[in-house]
């Protein structure tokens, strides 16, 4: 059986990746820092789809996490056909009001661990002459985003890193797809149910199921990037052309000022 390894696969978009890949017959390596949820997700995938599922508890903010995951999977004799670097965290605050430990975690989670996972698993994929890598960036990678400067900067790193790696992997049989979602209906956003419904209806927010489905379709077609949703494509085009000074009026909005002043 071929396997897909998915980080952050117990909730949100990661859980959708797990379900949709399991429905295609892939065994799933469930990776997150939620031990009980890992076991429950693995049991659910086995019973619902009849595939193998291996739960791995890992704190992906630790510098040793990528090597430990790779070594464990290798010891188990599992060949990872698909690597999905999905785990993430979102913090709303100004940089000066963000705890240094939180900054260390988000940089490690979004930059260090995905880079090392790609390094380790891509080498094995290149040796086999086949494999697929999916990297979750964000629409925030296209322009500065006050109130989530740390988040946006790490997603910009993933954008640059993944697209550079795409060039390196050309001709090896290994594909790499970078996903740039806009707002997604996940626990990241603390919104009322009514607000979520309206945002979904207007297309300003997408469901996790839709984002995963479109991202996987792009991955299996060997595309370099996926911008799921019409609004996301418009937003990316606008952000790419938007001068930095255009953000200054945004900083004066009451809701933005409130976030910037948050302790």
């Amino acid at each position: 059986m071929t396997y897909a390894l998915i980080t952050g696969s117990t909730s949100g978009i990661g859980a959708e990746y797990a379900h949709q890949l399991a429905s295609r017959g892939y065994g799933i390596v469930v990776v997150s820092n939620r031990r009980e949820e890992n076991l429950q997700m693995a049991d659910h995938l086995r019973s619902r789809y009849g595939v193998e599922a291996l739960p791995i508890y890992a704190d992906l903010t630790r510098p040793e996490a990528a090597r430990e995951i790779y070594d464990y999977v290798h010891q188990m004799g599992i060949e990872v056909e698909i690597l999905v670097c999905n785990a993430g965290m979102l913090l709303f605050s100004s940089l000066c009001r963000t705890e240094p430990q939180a900054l260390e975690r988000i940089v490690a989670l979004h930059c260090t661990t995905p880079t090392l996972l790609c390094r380790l698993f891509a080498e094995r994929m290149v040796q086999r002459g086949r494999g697929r890598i999916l990297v979750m960036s964000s629409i925030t990678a296209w322009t500065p985003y006050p109130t989530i400067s740390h988040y946006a900067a790490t997603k910009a790193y993933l954008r640059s890193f993944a697209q550079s790696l795409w060039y390196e992997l050309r001709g090896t049989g290994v594909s790499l797809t970078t996903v740039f979602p806009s707002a997604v209906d996940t626990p990241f956003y603390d919104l009322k149910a009514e607000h979520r419904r309206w945002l979904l209806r207007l297309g300003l927010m997408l469901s996790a199921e839709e984002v995963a489905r479109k991202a996987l379709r792009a991955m299996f077609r060997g595309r370099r990037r996926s911008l799921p949703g019409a609004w996301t494509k418009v937003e990316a085009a606008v952000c790419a052309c938007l001068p930095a000074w255009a953000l200054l009026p945004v900083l004066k909005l009451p809701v933005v000022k409130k976030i910037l002043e948050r302790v």
Side-chain angles (χ1 to χ4, degrees), residues 11 24 34 46 59 61 65 82 90 108 121 129 135 148 153 165 175 178-179 207 238 240-241 244:
S11 64
R24 291 172 176 258
R34 302 173 178 177
R46 293 189 201 102
D59 179 355
T61 66
I82 298 174
L90 178 60
F121 284 100
V135 174
I148 52 170
L165 185 56
S175 69
T178 313
V179 188
S207 68
V238 171
C241 302

Side-chain angles (χ1 to χ4, degrees), residues 33 59-63 65 87-91 98-114 150-151 154:
N33 63 346
D59 179 355
L60 297 171
T61 66
R62 295 173 58 249
M89 60 187 294
L90 178 60
L91 305 172
T98 305
E99 289 293 332
Q101 294 86 347
L103 294 174
E104 291 174 356
R105 289 197 299 271
I106 197 170
V107 171
L109 183 62
H110 290 180
C111 301
T112 305
T113 297
H150 26 63
Y151 177 87
T154 59

Side-chain angles (χ1 to χ4, degrees), residues 157-200:
Y157 168 83
L158 286 175
R159 175 192 172 199
S160 177
F161 166 72
Q163 294 188 2
S164 297
L165 185 56
W166 178 85
Y167 284 102
E168 294 182 12
L169 293 174
R170 291 188 68 187
T172 66
V174 181
S175 69
L176 191 150
T177 302
T178 313
V179 188
F180 300 93
S182 187
V184 184
D185 187 13
T186 69
F188 267 178
Y189 298 95
D190 184 17
L191 296 172
K192 294 180 180 179
E194 181 182 357
H195 293 163
R196 290 179 182 275
R197 286 195 295 270
W198 275 107
L199 290 171
L200 287 166

Side-chain angles (χ1 to χ4, degrees), residues 26-38:
Y26 286 90
I28 306 296
V29 181
V30 179
V31 181
S32 84
N33 63 346
R34 302 173 178 177
R35 196 182 305 274
E36 289 302 318
E37 286 87 340
N38 285 350

